[in-house]
Amino acid sequence: MSKSKVIVITGATSGIGEASAKLLAKDGHKLVLGARRENKLQEVSKAVEENGGQAIYGITDVTKDEDVEALAKLAVEKFGRIDVWLNNAGIMPQSLLSQKKILDWDNTIDINIKGVLYGIGAALPYMEAQKSGQFINISSVAGHVAGPGSAVYSASKYAVRAISESLRQEMAQDKSNVRVTVVSPGAISTNLLNSVTDNKVKAGMEQFYDAFAIPVDRVALTIKQAIDIPEDAAWNEVIIRPTAQQM
């Protein structure tokens, strides 16, 4: 177990974010939760406290830079530092390019790419000043392989990996002691499928997930392990799939 850390999580009210908050609370960490739904933020904060951690939250839309900056400021004002920033907020619209679902395209770019950039931009000055920290950015198996219907989503997750690798090299070059980790999940039981707007594609994906998906706790455990390893080393990239998943 690592020493108590200040951990900021975006997309903290469901899926990987919620599961990670609850698991990390058991190690006594201080959780700073960001998401759009205040009622859910209150629920997860209560669960964190019940699991032995501390929790505060800020209503956060990751498509708004000012919201993300405010979340970072909240963490520092309350706990004095930011040790880990988990860029978790994301959506997964899937459709053929010929359908020209421009709203889906724009939302995917705004949340999955800009949201990660805003998180890095908000937390990085604090981490560089304290000469320590860790970014954990959630990509996807779709960030390693693209297919019909996944063009924009895959592009966004490839982008997360590219941004993370550049950040890793910049931090190593600056000797900032800031670690960078990318976690790329396969089929995981979350509510991510709710963001698929094409009914035909969604039906096929639901069938696939029903057959192969593993509990979200598996990803939360991976995140905990990435935090817990000694700070002179980093898991730079982890792919976690169901054992039975081929892609």
Side-chain angles (χ1 to χ4, degrees):
M1 185 188 78
S2 62
K3 65 180 181 179
S4 178
K5 292 185 175 183
V6 179
I7 302 174
V8 182
I9 302 176
T10 67
T13 54
S14 63
I16 293 170
E18 180 181 5
S20 297
K22 291 176 178 178
L23 179 62
L24 293 168
K26 295 179 181 179
D27 285 345
H29 293 304
K30 302 175 179 70
L31 282 300
V32 183
L33 310 175
R36 292 176 295 179
R37 298 175 293 172
E38 186 168 18
N39 62 324
K40 284 292 294 178
L41 284 165
Q42 292 171 344
E43 290 177 15
V44 178
S45 295
K46 182 180 179 182
V48 166
E49 299 281 354
E50 290 173 348
N51 283 355
Q54 298 181 53
I56 58 174
Y57 69 81
I59 299 172
T60 307
D61 181 344
V62 298
T63 69
K64 298 177 180 178
D65 177 52
E66 61 271 22
D67 279 15
V68 182
E69 291 283 348
L71 188 65
K73 185 177 180 182
L74 175 66
V76 173
E77 287 179 346
K78 178 65 176 179
F79 295 127
R81 59 189 293 114
I82 299 172
D83 294 302
V84 180
W85 186 285
L86 173 54
N87 275 311
N88 168 69
I91 59 174
M92 191 177 63
Q94 303 271 314
S95 62
L96 297 174
L97 290 169
S98 60
Q99 293 177 296
K100 200 177 180 181
K101 286 181 173 281
I102 291 177
L103 181 60
D104 281 356
W105 299 352
D106 289 345
N107 287 337
T108 302
I109 290 166
D110 288 345
I111 295 171
N112 292 7
I113 301 178
K114 290 183 180 179
V116 170
L117 288 169
Y118 292 161
I120 292 169
L124 190 53
Y126 299 110
M127 292 186 184
E128 289 188 313
Q130 68 198 24
K131 288 292 183 182
S132 68
Q134 182 176 16
F135 287 99
I136 301 178
N137 299 327
I138 302 299
S139 179
S140 170
V141 167
H144 294 258
V145 58
S150 76
V152 179
Y153 177 66
S154 288
S156 75
K157 292 305 187 177
Y158 273 93
V160 170
R161 293 178 57 227
I163 291 164
S164 300
E165 176 58 14
S166 291
L167 177 63
R168 184 195 69 79
Q169 293 188 33
E170 290 176 14
M171 295 301 95
Q173 179 176 278
D174 293 346
K175 301 187 186 305
S176 66
N177 201 38
V178 173
R179 302 189 292 175
V180 181
T181 300
V182 178
V183 178
S184 295
I188 308 296
S189 294
T190 70
N191 62 0
L192 202 56
L193 288 179
N194 292 340
S195 62
V196 180
T197 58
D198 183 285
N199 290 331
K200 184 177 179 180
V201 173
K202 185 176 182 180
M205 293 186 70
E206 286 176 339
Q207 185 177 14
F208 178 81
Y209 273 63
D210 286 345
F212 295 107
I214 55 177
V216 70
D217 293 345
R218 307 296 189 264
V219 183
L221 178 59
T222 299
I223 289 167
K224 168 183 157 51
Q225 292 168 331
I227 292 171
D228 284 351
I229 66 170
E231 293 185 2
D232 62 356
W235 287 2
N236 297 133
E237 185 156 12
V238 181
I239 301 174
I240 175 169
R241 293 183 180 90
T243 304
Q245 181 180 341
Q246 292 184 18
M247 185 190 78

